[in-house]
């Protein structure tokens, strides 16, 4: 089992000293990865329903500080050496795929191949409208964007032809050291699970209970098999909401039995005694797996 710290770029960790403090302490304590969240803007008075809270609203409020996830990760990459750098998630269809491919490849190059792209399709229609990007068809655009980026990352001189993105004989440099960047599909719907099976290196179902996980994993695996892919290569990353060692040990055991490969713990749960709390979790939970 792998362990990561989630929601790492919001709250107090949006500030430079706390970002560095969190990343260094997480790496020292045995965490494998750190994950950021994403919103370019949050339009006031939005009516779209946030799918991961019963209220239908962002728990942090409309005016939450959301540092750009890739710039924040680049900042902490410079003060760490092994910590994987994940987006959990980045709203892919809001971005030009060539520009995004360049940004991700650059970060991967500078960090020594540590980037994981957690890719989501987005839920906040008003944000898309403010950006001048269509909300409809965002799932298809996401899949084409991933295919286009993989071409740019892996081909000497890349070409891609799609209904939303097309280019011919393009050099993108630098390319990722490993030839590509893992793409983990975010979302807790059956459609997201099917997308993870078709195109994902991983699946990140935010907000699911342990008993809801196996049916989604079944969808991922069957979709992968239908696409001629090996389902065992697709990592499953799930959230946890406790830092209590005994509760966490029991929860992680259940999650592992349900098919999870990585558990993410929200950064805010580690409290004011950040280094101490992370170290205890590392010793009492991570050390047991």
């Amino acid at each position: 089992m792998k362990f990561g710290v989630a929601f790492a770029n919001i709250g107090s960790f949006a500030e430079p000293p706390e970002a560095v403090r969190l990343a260094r302490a997480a790496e020292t304590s045995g965490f494998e990865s750190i994950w950021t969240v994403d919103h370019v803007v949050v339009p006031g008075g939005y009516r779209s329903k946030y799918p991961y809270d019963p209220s239908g609203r962002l728990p942090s409020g409309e005016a939450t500080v959301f540092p750009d996830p890739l710039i924040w990760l680049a900042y902490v990459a410079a003060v760490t050496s092994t910590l994987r750098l994940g987006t959990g998630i980045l709203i892919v269809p809001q971005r030009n795929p060539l520009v995004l491919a360049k940004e991700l490849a650059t970060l991967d190059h500078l960090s020594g191949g540590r980037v994981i792209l957690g890719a989501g399709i987005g839920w906040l229609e008003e944000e898309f409208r403010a950006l001048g990007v269509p909300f409809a068809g965002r799932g298809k655009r996401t899949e084409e964007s991933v295919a286009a980026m993989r071409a740019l990352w892996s081909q000497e001189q890349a070409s891609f032809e799609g209904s939303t993105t097309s280019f011919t004989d393009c050099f993108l440099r630098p390319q990722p050291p490993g030839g590509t960047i893992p793409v983990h599909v975010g979302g807790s719907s059956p459609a997201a699970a099917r997308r993870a099976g078709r195109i994902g290196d991983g699946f990140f179902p935010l907000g699911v209970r342990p008993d809801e996980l196996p049916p989604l994993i079944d969808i991922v695996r069957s979709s992968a098999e239908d696409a001629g892919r090996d389902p065992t290569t697709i990592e499953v990353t799930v959230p946890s909401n406790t830092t209590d060692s005994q509760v966490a040990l029991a929860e992680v055991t259940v999650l592992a039995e349900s098919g999870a490969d990585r558990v993410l713990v929200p950064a805010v749960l580690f409290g004011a005694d950040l280094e101490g709390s992370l170290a205890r979790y590392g010793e009492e939970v991570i050390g047991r797996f």
Side-chain angles (χ1 to χ4, degrees):
M1 180 67 73
K2 301 174 184 177
F3 293 83
V5 177
F7 302 102
N9 60 326
I10 58 175
S12 64
F13 305 112
E15 300 304 317
E18 291 302 297
V20 170
R21 183 184 173 205
L22 172 64
R24 283 176 166 165
E27 184 172 73
T28 300
S29 300
F31 285 84
E32 170 256 2
S33 53
I34 194 164
W35 299 69
T36 53
V37 292
D38 177 35
H39 278 293
V40 178
V41 294
V42 178
Y46 65 86
R47 295 183 178 273
S48 299
K49 183 179 179 181
Y50 178 65
Y52 305 114
D53 190 271
S55 70
R57 310 290 294 177
L58 284 166
S60 52
E62 295 179 343
T64 298
V65 178
F66 281 101
D68 181 272
L70 299 182
I71 293 177
W72 191 94
L73 287 171
Y75 187 79
V76 302
V79 297
T80 56
S81 57
T82 63
L83 203 63
R84 300 293 303 273
L85 311 167
T87 59
I89 53 80
L90 186 94
I91 308 169
V92 169
Q94 291 182 346
R95 293 165 166 86
N96 180 294
L98 284 80
V99 175
L100 182 56
K102 180 79 164 189
E103 292 170 339
L104 289 162
T106 300
L107 177 56
D108 201 52
H109 170 73
L110 292 174
S111 66
R114 290 192 272 151
V115 174
I116 302 170
L117 171 60
I121 67 170
W123 60 273
L124 184 51
E125 184 172 359
E126 292 87 345
E127 181 179 20
F128 280 74
R129 191 179 306 134
L131 291 167
V133 177
F135 188 68
R138 65 197 187 281
K140 181 177 183 179
R141 290 202 313 279
T142 298
E143 295 198 27
E144 283 204 355
S145 291
V146 169
M149 290 191 292
R150 283 172 168 161
L152 290 161
W153 292 333
S154 62
Q155 296 176 17
E156 176 67 18
Q157 195 169 352
S159 297
F160 181 82
E161 183 67 32
S163 61
T164 61
T165 301
S166 298
F167 50 85
T168 304
D169 296 334
C170 290
F171 291 97
L172 182 132
R173 300 293 186 275
Q175 290 179 305
T180 192
I181 290 171
V183 178
H184 291 214
V185 174
S188 55
S189 68
R194 288 191 293 269
R195 183 174 296 114
R198 284 196 305 272
I199 70 167
D201 301 298
F203 178 45
F204 180 19
L206 180 65
V208 298
R209 301 189 308 268
D211 62 298
E212 297 173 320
L213 187 59
L216 287 170
I217 293 177
D218 287 343
I219 293 173
V220 172
R221 289 172 176 165
S222 62
S223 179
E225 290 170 353
D226 290 344
R229 307 180 66 218
D230 180 358
T232 65
T233 65
I234 301 173
E235 283 191 331
V236 177
T237 298
V238 296
S240 170
N241 288 304
T242 182
T243 56
D244 180 277
S245 297
Q246 293 305 311
V247 176
L249 283 170
E251 181 186 57
V252 174
T253 299
V254 171
L255 291 170
E257 292 171 350
S258 299
D261 302 292
R262 180 186 289 106
V263 169
L264 301 185
V265 185
V268 68
L269 295 185
F270 291 101
D273 181 23
L274 184 66
E275 290 84 356
S277 295
L278 286 164
R280 281 190 296 276
Y281 191 96
E283 180 180 351
E284 297 173 5
V285 181
I286 297 176
R288 300 284 294 275
F289 289 89

